[in-house]
Amino acid sequence: MDKVLYVGYYDILRNGQQIRNYSLAAEKKMNFVFESVAELGYHVDVVSPSFIKTRDNVKVNQTRENLEPNVDLVLTPSWGAKNKISRIARVLYSNFWLFSYLLKNTQKNTPVLVYHNYALALPVLAAQKLKKFHLILEIEEQYSMVWKLTPYQKWKEDALLKKGKKDTLVVSELLAEKLGVENPIVSYGSYSAFRGTIPERTASDGKIKLVYTGSIDKVKGSAFTAIDAMKYLPDNYELKISGPVAAKDKNDFDELVKQTNKGCGRNAVEYLGLLDEQQYEKLLLSANIALNPQKEGGFGQYLFPSKILTYMSYGLPVVSTRGESIVKSKVADLITFSDDYSGESVAKAIRNADIKASTVYLKKLDDLKKEFLTGIDKVLSTRGKNQ
């Protein structure tokens, strides 16, 4: 069985906690990609330089564990860091470990998928220059469009993105066009649909349950807009939120939840924290409408929030603002859009949304998955002919 390496900051929740540094959204997308590659008959080694986040005096060795049939996870050695010097050393070591691992475990034209992150640029590009493996970049966003990077960080990102002109997985048609990607393999997110029983969402108790999941910060602003929308909805609407809150925005987020509930005269908004897979699934199955009220911004036109597909995979109707990549996507006709980015406009769209679950969403996801499998299979079989 041929092997594919898949490099990215990845781990799974351990007892409901994030022990290493990685994105929960990235985890879900990477899950879909490696499951798809394994479905095509390859063995996948997910190679993760994610270091542990603790400050405690602990050390962990390199580990390998089986995630599912034909998929293994290899994690870098790491240690707890109590001061800045130790934290820097931990990051540098994880990069050196990744470089060494790629040198030892690849040869010319070995397929190596890389989940784009400028922090991976130096070890990946240096190893690729020496071993000539088949580098396949996966681009979810251009960091410099969203976050303020240092000149050095931007240089690393640009160097990595130069490798993404061919044989590239990309999150939207619009981003592929901006980056000049030829024949992109577009994957908005995970196309894996829930195969259990989806309950009737008829709000028989009179309550209409809204859900927002994902990262919570003021840069993208989605959760803050979702909460603001509650001021314009009747008393039978309730919003449940899950996901990690940016430390710098936590006080403002907590205060907004408190003041919104006070102003509504009820527990209109409930923050559930981080949820494990079972809790997350239960939340989505209990909801009537899912929200993606991303904040207006230049970066938003190129991004496709993968949570939209996750919602649809559970047969959930989706209300979203009009990010250009979303409006031009192949699922746009299944989404209820707000007129603008205000909480009042999002609330109006929520009232207009059909709360009934639909199998149309699942059929669309199945069709998109077939397209993705065809594209990634073709790229993996080229074995570096375009490099």
Side-chain angles (χ1 to χ4, degrees), residues 236-253:
N236 62 321
Y237 285 81
E238 57 185 36
L239 170 63
K240 295 187 184 296
I241 298 175
S242 77
V245 184
K248 62 182 178 59
D249 297 325
K250 189 175 188 309
N251 288 339
D252 289 344
F253 173 74

Side-chain angles (χ1 to χ4, degrees), residues 9-275:
Y9 289 102
Y10 181 93
D11 196 15
I12 58 177
L13 293 178
R14 313 282 180 175
N15 296 319
Q17 300 295 318
Q18 283 185 266
I19 305 301
R20 293 176 181 257
N21 71 309
Y22 69 100
S23 159
L24 291 175
E27 177 204 355
K28 292 184 183 301
K29 181 61 176 290
M30 290 181 71
N31 287 344
F32 169 68
V33 173
F34 68 62
E35 287 166 1
S36 298
V37 174
E39 187 176 330
L40 291 170
Y42 295 89
H43 181 94
V44 184
D45 274 357
V46 180
V47 183
S48 173
S50 298
F51 47 85
I52 60 175
K53 300 192 297 182
T54 184
R55 292 174 177 264
D56 296 336
N57 185 27
V58 296
K59 291 184 179 180
V60 293
N61 295 322
Q62 175 179 316
T63 61
R64 174 184 286 269
E65 61 184 294
N66 182 251
L67 296 178
E68 57 184 68
N70 297 323
V71 180
D72 290 341
L73 170 61
V74 184
L75 288 163
T76 180
S78 192
W79 61 85
K82 294 184 177 181
N83 55 58
K84 185 176 182 180
I85 293 176
S86 185
R87 289 194 292 273
I88 292 173
R90 182 172 58 184
V91 174
L92 292 175
Y93 180 82
S94 71
N95 284 342
F96 176 74
W97 172 85
L98 176 60
F99 171 71
S100 300
Y101 190 92
L102 291 174
L103 289 186
K104 294 176 183 177
N105 293 278
T106 63
Q107 54 190 357
K108 186 176 181 180
N109 292 335
T110 299
V112 180
L113 275 160
V114 176
Y115 190 102
H116 160 252
N117 187 316
Y118 63 82
L120 298 173
L122 294 184
V124 167
L125 295 179
Q128 199 273 335
K129 186 174 182 63
L130 292 172
K131 297 304 293 278
K132 309 298 182 185
F133 53 73
H134 181 191
L135 175 58
I136 306 165
L137 200 59
E138 177 184 349
I139 308 173
E140 299 297 314
E141 61 187 348
Q142 184 174 354
Y143 283 75
S144 60
M145 292 173 56
V146 184
W147 314 105
K148 186 175 181 179
L149 303 185
T150 67
Y152 178 53
Q153 290 170 333
K154 189 175 186 305
W155 174 81
K156 289 193 292 184
E157 178 172 51
D158 290 343
L160 190 56
L161 288 176
K162 284 180 181 178
K163 289 290 185 178
K165 298 305 181 183
K166 291 183 179 180
D167 290 353
T168 304
L169 281 63
V170 67
V171 75
S172 73
E173 291 90 349
L174 217 59
L175 185 58
E177 182 180 336
K178 180 188 182 299
L179 296 176
V181 178
E182 299 177 26
N183 302 315
I185 305 164
V186 177
S187 173
Y188 306 132
S190 172
Y191 298 140
S192 298
F194 176 69
R195 296 304 179 189
T197 301
I198 296 177
E200 289 290 330
R201 294 185 168 107
T202 57
S204 57
D205 60 355
K207 297 288 185 180
I208 298 178
K209 303 174 183 67
L210 311 176
V211 63
Y212 170 85
T213 68
S215 59
I216 300 166
D217 62 71
K218 284 190 170 181
V219 175
K220 294 182 179 179
S222 300
F224 288 84
T225 303
I227 295 171
D228 185 56
M230 297 305 293
K231 297 186 299 186
Y232 305 99
L233 290 170
D235 289 351
N236 62 321
Y237 285 81
E238 57 185 36
L239 170 63
K240 295 187 184 296
I241 298 175
S242 77
V245 184
K248 62 182 178 59
D249 297 325
K250 189 175 188 309
N251 288 339
D252 289 344
F253 173 74
D254 291 343
E255 184 63 20
L256 180 60
V257 172
K258 179 181 177 182
Q259 292 302 322
T260 300
N261 286 338
K262 182 178 179 180
C264 291
R266 68 186 196 281
N267 290 325
V269 181
E270 181 182 4
Y271 174 59
L272 304 174
L274 281 177
L275 303 180

